[in-house]
Amino acid sequence: MPAIILVGAQWGDEGKGKATDLLGSSVDYVVKFNGGNNAGHTIVINGEKFALHLLPSGILSENCVPVIGNGVVIDLEVLFGEIEALEARGRSAAKLIVSADAHVIAPYNTTLDKVTERFAGSRKIGTTGRGIGPTYADKMNRIGIRVQDLFDEAILREKVGAALYLKNQILSKIYNRRALDAEAVVSELLSYADRLRPMVLDTSLLLHEALDAGKTVLLEAGQATMLDVDHGNYPYVTSSSATAGGACTGCGIPPTRVSSVIAVVKAYSTRVGEGPFPTELHDEWGERLRSVGGEYGTTTGRPRRTGWYDAPISRYAARINGVTDIVLTKLDVLTGIESIPVCVAYEVDGQRVDEIPMTQRDFALATPIYETFPGWTEDISQARTLADLPENCQAYVAALEKMSGARISVIGVGPARDESIVLHDLLH
Ligand code: IMP
């Protein structure tokens, strides 16, 4: 059986849970391959709500093995906090597997993330303050701490010492902060080692063997295409690879084992943090999308910026990720809007541009060219086939599909798992 990749097409918070829910019991392994506790998802099981940031979404599915891949950065306090919170509610996280090669968010990196942002003032990225950027920077700088380092005290001590040798200079001399004691950091990290040890495996090998044995593996991205460190609008991005290519490096499965790439796309746009957002609305329509769509960050509680659907972005995501299926979410949020604008292209320096502009400057200056579609007033949450949707709504979906570079396989018409129209099986 195949590996399936699931990505967000926009700036995150597209509602990936809808796709994971629909794949449900057909999936044997769910792998988180990038990011850390900067993400956030809420899982509802039998009416009970679970808010998770780091644990993979498969953690509560009975027949599924949740895996944290090598591409993830792990805050161990958060990891065990989430596990304990589940256990306190009678749930078990005993099946969780963690890659020996995943990097650990050391306490100095959370501090650095926060002080750097504060110091940057108006130049800030608007990060979640969870230490994500500095930890990935350490990985690339080859001074990162990996999960496996916790099982060799001498190696851990040497690595923390080497990292702090640099970081303490930055903390004390640039940010006027107290230098950190290497021994205290080592002890803190070691305090998790015994509990972590039984979960740790060579996850690339595990997943290869699972695929050979005919299992289905879902590789689920944190964040989304426009936040990808290579393909998003740099520098207003996260520090990991949130696109389909990142799925392979982030878990050690080669592209040849991947059979499909599902992109989740919201029927309008949202973004948290700084950075360009061509269709952003600063008027009552933006407020309406935020309140009807419940657009507040799961991790930071920040109100999300909101805007109309941006077709060049979906088209770009389809190209970058090789999308085979789109899951269109939150269509119901648009109900009651008389005419719905969709960005079909941009204008930059008086010229029409049909794709995402090549340079940061042009993207920042891009203003949307809208086409407007007639809306609908009927409640669509009960629709289960395309024909159940009002005519104008069908036309809106057809137009988005035409502009967005891949077929729409699922349409979300409400938050619940069954509030969906399935046009094509996601496990084709
Ligand atoms: P970082 O990932 O904390 O470094 O933040 C970098 C950018 O990515 C900021 O604009 C964040 O708001 C954004 N970001 C990070 N994680 C998520 C997410 O799960 N959803 C939406 N935006 C995110």
Side-chain angles (χ1 to χ4, degrees):
M1 274 302 278
I4 301 164
I5 298 176
L6 177 65
V7 297
Q10 296 149 317
W11 282 282
D13 311 306
E14 292 91 353
K16 286 192 279 282
K18 174 68 90 181
T20 351
D21 269 356
L22 286 167
L23 291 166
S25 55
S26 327
V27 173
D28 301 299
Y29 291 78
V30 174
V31 189
K32 180 178 170 78
F33 66 79
N34 74 304
N37 56 314
N38 47 348
H41 44 261
T42 309
I43 304 176
V44 183
I45 295 195
N46 300 333
E48 241 193 304
K49 262 193 182 179
F50 297 87
L52 300 175
H53 297 287
L54 180 57
L55 291 172
S57 59
I59 194 83
L60 293 172
S61 314
E62 271 182 13
N63 302 315
C64 175
V65 179
V67 178
I68 294 183
N70 57 277
V72 173
V73 290
I74 304 175
D75 183 321
L76 292 166
E77 190 183 342
V78 172
L79 178 73
F80 287 107
E82 287 193 356
I83 290 174
E84 281 159 22
L86 289 186
E87 285 169 351
R89 291 167 73 179
R91 304 281 174 163
S92 163
K95 282 182 299 168
L96 177 68
I97 307 285
V98 176
S99 166
D101 291 341
H103 281 244
V104 169
I105 302 180
Y108 42 79
N109 281 335
T110 317
T111 308
L112 272 170
D113 191 4
K114 288 182 186 146
V115 290
T116 310
E117 282 280 279
R118 213 170 304 142
F119 204 73
S122 64
R123 293 190 193 87
K124 69 175 195 253
I125 303 290
T127 74
T128 57
R130 304 296 195 260
I132 307 293
T135 305
Y136 279 112
D138 283 3
K139 174 176 175 173
M140 293 308 179
N141 262 335
R142 293 151 297 179
I143 54 165
I145 312 292
R146 292 192 293 177
V147 162
Q148 56 180 283
D149 299 331
L150 268 62
F151 311 131
D152 187 314
E153 209 174 315
I155 289 184
L156 181 66
R157 188 160 283 117
E158 194 182 315
K159 290 196 173 177
V160 170
L164 269 185
Y165 181 70
L166 282 173
K167 309 260 175 186
N168 272 340
Q169 306 285 331
I170 299 169
L171 278 170
S172 60
K173 296 193 177 141
I174 298 180
Y175 296 122
N176 209 14
R177 288 284 176 133
R178 216 170 339 121
L180 294 176
D181 173 33
E183 265 319 300
V185 173
V186 169
S187 314
E188 183 180 334
L189 294 177
L190 282 179
S191 71
Y192 298 107
D194 288 346
R195 274 192 289 170
L196 192 59
R197 189 71 193 88
M199 304 172 186
V200 177
L201 281 181
D202 175 344
T203 47
S204 162
L205 181 61
L206 172 87
L207 296 171
H208 276 261
E209 288 174 351
L211 287 168
D212 285 345
K215 304 289 185 195
T216 299
V217 174
L218 178 66
L219 313 176
E220 189 181 328
Q223 294 76 52
T225 304
M226 297 308 283
L227 291 172
D228 181 278
V229 69
D230 284 280
H231 303 293
N233 14 67
Y234 190 90
Y236 298 101
V237 292
T238 191
S239 300
S240 67
S241 301
T243 44
C248 295
T249 49
C251 72
I253 288 180
T256 44
R257 300 209 83 153
V258 176
S259 65
S260 56
V261 180
I262 303 166
V264 185
V265 185
K266 196 146 48 179
Y268 51 96
S269 308
T270 61
R271 145 160 236 178
V272 234
E274 309 301 314
F277 182 179
T279 64
E280 182 168 16
L281 295 164
H282 297 284
D283 54 13
E284 69 275 17
W285 290 112
E287 194 43 57
R288 181 194 165 120
L289 290 176
R290 185 157 36 249
S291 57
V292 179
E295 298 296 352
Y296 294 87
T298 327
T299 298
T300 58
R302 289 180 285 183
R304 295 179 185 140
R305 299 159 66 192
T306 49
W308 299 121
Y309 190 85
D310 188 325
I313 284 183
S314 307
R315 216 158 42 233
Y316 176 72
R319 167 158 62 87
I320 292 288
N321 295 291
V323 171
T324 53
D325 300 87
I326 288 177
V327 173
L328 181 71
T329 57
K330 293 192 151 183
L331 186 60
D332 51 302
V333 173
L334 300 180
T335 299
I337 300 176
E338 206 178 325
S339 47
I340 308 170
V342 169
C343 168
V344 295
Y346 308 114
E347 191 177 302
V348 181
D349 294 333
Q351 302 285 319
R352 181 183 167 115
V353 179
D354 286 300
E355 302 298 333
I356 297 218
M358 185 178 80
T359 64
Q360 181 183 346
R361 173 208 175 262
D362 286 1
F363 193 52
L365 292 179
T367 52
I369 297 176
Y370 286 118
E371 208 173 291
T372 299
F373 293 83
W376 58 93
T377 51
E378 300 87 333
D379 173 13
I380 59 169
S381 63
Q382 304 305 316
R384 296 296 173 265
T385 68
L386 204 53
D388 295 340
L389 292 174
E391 242 170 63
N392 286 350
C393 186
Q394 288 185 41
Y396 181 76
V397 172
L400 294 198
E401 181 168 78
K402 200 160 160 223
M403 290 183 252
S404 305
R407 71 176 186 186
I408 294 177
S409 295
V410 176
I411 303 166
V413 290
R417 179 188 300 212
D418 62 336
E419 287 176 323
S420 307
I421 298 171
V422 179
L423 302 170
H424 304 283
D425 184 2
L426 291 175
L427 278 170
H428 47 83

